[in-house]
Amino acid sequence: MSKIQLMSHLVAGYPSDELAFTAARALVDGGADILEIQLPFSDPSADGPAIQGACTKVLERHYKTADGLAFISKLHKEFPNIPIYLMSYGSLIYTPGLEAFCKKAADCGVKGMIIPDLPFDFDEGLTAACKANGMVNIPVAAPSMSPERLEKMANAGFPYIYAALRTGITGTETSVDQATLAFIKKVGSGGSKVYGGFGISTGAQSALLGDKVEAVIAGSVFVRLITEHQNDAEALYKAVRAKAAEISHLEG
């Protein structure tokens, strides 16, 4: 099987900046094409237990947005050819001002923003602020959206749309069935490229999605591996790299 584009999700600073960097290196070496870096947040609406737990641990260290951006900047310097998307929630980027935040993010090497709780058509100016700073806003589509609203998003001219492949929180396994594939087709019906994720944890799942999406998204599976091996950097690297290679079908 040919290589599948992989967007891998990491929580900045989890369980430490050093180990998060080790995990990022493992992801890239394992075939990740895009790094989606989440700024830790205390009250997430889309994250499952693995990611929420990771965020809590990082915030207990009094980790700030500036620390997360510094981590992203370091990643960009190490992997200049890997696009980095910043994932966060509206209040974190709205409080300092969208324009100011987007400029800072772009200066750190961020290429796109994923803010699940800002609706695509009431985004407080996020799309414009991203465009002004050479980034893209990547809105999130969910199967729970009405057909009319989904069609409106699909035809709104976004270069990319993040398709959450089921409702609810991420982390539990998603079955890729005909309904999933039909949803992906609707999301991309206006010409946007589609990133598909939520509950993707195996090579078998990604194989079903590989030719239907621009990239497969996986996150909680990596966070669980990082948690499991957080006391052994070498084991963490090997486990994360192996899982990324499985999902991306790096070895063909």
Side-chain angles (χ1 to χ4, degrees):
M1 168 152 200
S2 59
K3 166 81 170 64
I4 289 171
Q5 290 262 109
L6 171 62
M7 182 198 300
S8 55
H9 178 111
L10 270 186
V11 175
Y14 181 72
S16 66
D17 273 26
E18 187 179 353
L19 286 171
F21 200 82
T22 297
R25 184 178 287 112
L27 289 166
V28 172
D29 291 350
D33 302 279
I34 301 164
L35 293 174
E36 178 193 1
I37 308 299
Q38 176 168 353
L39 297 182
F41 188 63
S42 58
D43 189 26
S45 57
D47 300 321
I51 292 175
Q52 191 164 358
C55 287
T56 300
K57 289 291 186 187
V58 178
L59 292 171
E60 284 172 355
R61 303 200 327 258
H62 306 291
Y63 204 79
K64 306 293 186 192
T65 297
D67 299 317
L69 290 174
F71 175 74
I72 287 172
S73 183
K74 184 181 174 186
L75 278 183
H76 177 60
K77 287 184 176 75
E78 183 76 11
F79 309 110
N81 298 319
I82 300 289
I84 297 175
Y85 294 157
L86 185 153
M87 184 260 160
S88 187
Y89 289 93
S91 64
L92 268 190
I93 67 165
Y94 186 76
T95 302
L98 279 175
E99 289 83 1
F101 186 94
C102 285
K103 184 178 188 318
K104 278 186 186 174
D107 287 346
C108 292
V110 173
K111 296 299 181 192
M113 302 278 284
I114 300 168
I115 314 295
D117 59 344
L118 276 185
F120 75 96
D121 46 356
F122 294 97
D123 69 2
E124 306 291 347
L126 177 61
T127 299
C130 283
K131 192 174 289 187
N133 288 281
M135 301 186 296
V136 289
N137 176 27
I138 303 167
V140 178
S144 55
M145 293 173 76
S146 69
E148 295 79 17
R149 189 161 173 73
L150 183 58
E151 185 180 357
K152 186 180 176 186
M153 178 190 279
N155 289 282
F158 290 101
Y160 304 97
I161 297 176
Y162 184 130
L165 300 182
R166 58 175 169 71
T167 54
I169 55 174
T170 188
T172 53
E173 190 156 328
T174 296
S175 61
V176 180
D177 54 19
Q178 286 306 310
T180 308
L181 300 180
F183 171 64
I184 290 169
K185 193 171 180 180
K186 285 177 188 170
V187 173
S189 62
S192 302
K193 293 178 179 178
V194 180
Y195 297 128
F198 254 50
I200 302 302
S201 61
T202 69
Q205 288 172 304
S206 66
L208 294 171
L209 290 171
D211 61 348
K212 307 291 192 299
V213 295
E214 177 72 9
V216 171
I217 308 163
S220 292
V221 62
F222 296 125
V223 176
R224 286 193 290 267
L225 287 172
I226 292 165
T227 301
E228 187 180 336
H229 298 289
Q230 61 184 301
N231 297 316
D232 186 338
E234 187 178 350
L236 185 154
Y237 173 87
K238 287 180 178 175
V240 171
R241 186 190 186 285
K243 180 53 75 171
E246 177 198 332
I247 294 174
S248 69
H249 294 267
L250 181 64
E251 311 303 332

